[in-house]
Amino acid sequence: MITLPNLENERYGRQMSDQISQPLVAAQSAAKEIAEITGKASHEMSFTLGSGWSDAASIFGEPAHKIEMSKLSGFATSTVAGHGGHISSYTINNKNILIFFGRTHLYEGKGIDAVVHGTRTAVSAGAKIVVLTNACGGINPNYSVGQPVLIRDHISLTGISPIKGANFVDLTDVYSARLRAQLKSYDPTLAEGVYAHWPGPTYETPAEIRMIGILGADLVGMSTVPEAIAAHAMGAEVIGISLVTNPAAGLSKNKLSHEEVVAAGKASAEKVGKLLENLLKVS
Ligand code: 8IG
């Protein structure tokens, strides 16, 4: 576990190198700024909404506070159409919740620390449960477009970890089995699958999709994995959910386009909204 805020914790020994501590300090700064802006000392849960998930956020109602990410310490500005780049704070059923609209992807070239800064900020702000959502390509032939799938496990194809130093984090249960069971008790039809993190920004070739399928992945996308690792390493419980917005390359006659992905997301807003409602019930 990465323990905050004591930077002289035993895990790292007495001196945590600047390279390791700087991103954690930046996340703490951003978390403190969120607490000041919202007047809430702690937010217990966070949601990161990927493409196709943002519209459904209307089920949360009006946020108490809306914060531009660019105003907070350490946040890069997002460059992808359909990624908003703000954080909203809500109090729902006495629970303080942060919703991140937009995230930084590895393919933006801002580095791995930038990719996980939002997640580290969320956990520093008090999030014990971190919900990470995304839109992705479906490899498993049982999935259909518009279907949300719980991430059971992942395969990192990027070779890049957000964890630095001799910090050997166990990844046996990154995607909390406890919380997956709760979600499936609310909706037994929810499928589970293995998510492969592809670096992007190009989609895969059909041959690469055949390879990734053979490796054991059901889903493929360009996000979530570094954030899940960072949250897990800080001791939060993680829920990952993918919305299948296209059959992966070579599995349908159509070519892949970002516009199609955004459209598929909009079309499944109701199903996704139900799922977000169920997510509010987990504890
Ligand atoms: I949406 O087919 C979406 N994101 N790597 N492959 C990868 N990322 C994706 C895909 C896909 N669809």
Side-chain angles (χ1 to χ4, degrees), residues 180-188:
R180 275 187 279 129
Q182 281 188 37
L183 282 169
K184 287 203 285 188
S185 77
Y186 304 136
D187 180 2

Side-chain angles (χ1 to χ4, degrees), residues 203-224:
Y203 293 116
E204 302 74 20
T205 63
E208 285 162 345
I209 288 301
R210 283 194 296 278
M211 173 190 79
I212 295 166
I214 289 166
L215 292 179
D218 303 294
L219 308 155
V220 62
M222 304 178 196
S223 69
T224 305

Side-chain angles (χ1 to χ4, degrees), residues 26-183:
Q28 285 180 316
S29 300
K32 191 158 167 269
E33 290 155 18
I34 291 171
E36 281 163 3
I37 291 166
T38 61
K40 298 171 194 169
S42 166
H43 287 81
E44 298 91 62
M45 192 169 177
S46 78
F47 291 73
T48 297
L49 299 184
S51 325
W53 290 79
S54 310
D55 288 354
S58 57
I59 69 114
F60 293 112
E62 281 301 308
H65 299 271
K66 184 177 163 185
I67 307 167
E68 293 304 318
M69 287 184 192
S70 56
K71 296 223 170 83
L72 297 174
S73 291
F75 279 87
T77 40
S78 178
T79 53
V80 188
H83 289 257
H86 69 274
I87 302 169
S88 289
S89 164
Y90 302 77
T91 302
I92 303 170
N93 302 332
N94 280 326
K95 204 155 50 169
N96 295 334
I97 291 167
L98 288 176
I99 306 205
F100 289 69
F101 293 87
R103 54 154 58 98
T104 299
H105 302 80
L106 210 46
Y107 58 71
E108 292 172 61
K110 292 166 183 165
I112 189 67
D113 290 336
V115 172
V116 298
H117 181 60
T119 302
R120 284 180 168 154
T121 296
V123 181
S124 300
K128 297 198 165 36
I129 296 177
V130 170
V131 179
L132 301 169
T133 69
N134 64 53
C136 76
I139 299 176
N140 187 323
N142 296 324
Y143 299 158
S144 43
V145 165
Q147 180 180 358
V149 178
L150 279 179
I151 300 176
R152 184 180 71 240
D153 200 350
H154 75 228
I155 297 171
S156 173
L157 297 170
T158 68
I160 298 173
S161 172
I163 309 301
K164 297 189 184 80
N167 188 13
F168 306 108
V169 178
D170 178 89
L171 298 182
T172 312
D173 185 25
V174 178
Y175 305 91
S176 168
R178 194 183 75 81
L179 297 177
R180 275 187 279 129
Q182 281 188 37
L183 282 169

Side-chain angles (χ1 to χ4, degrees), residues 263-274:
K266 285 196 195 304
S268 48
E270 196 180 319
K271 199 180 292 182
V272 164
K274 258 268 161 323

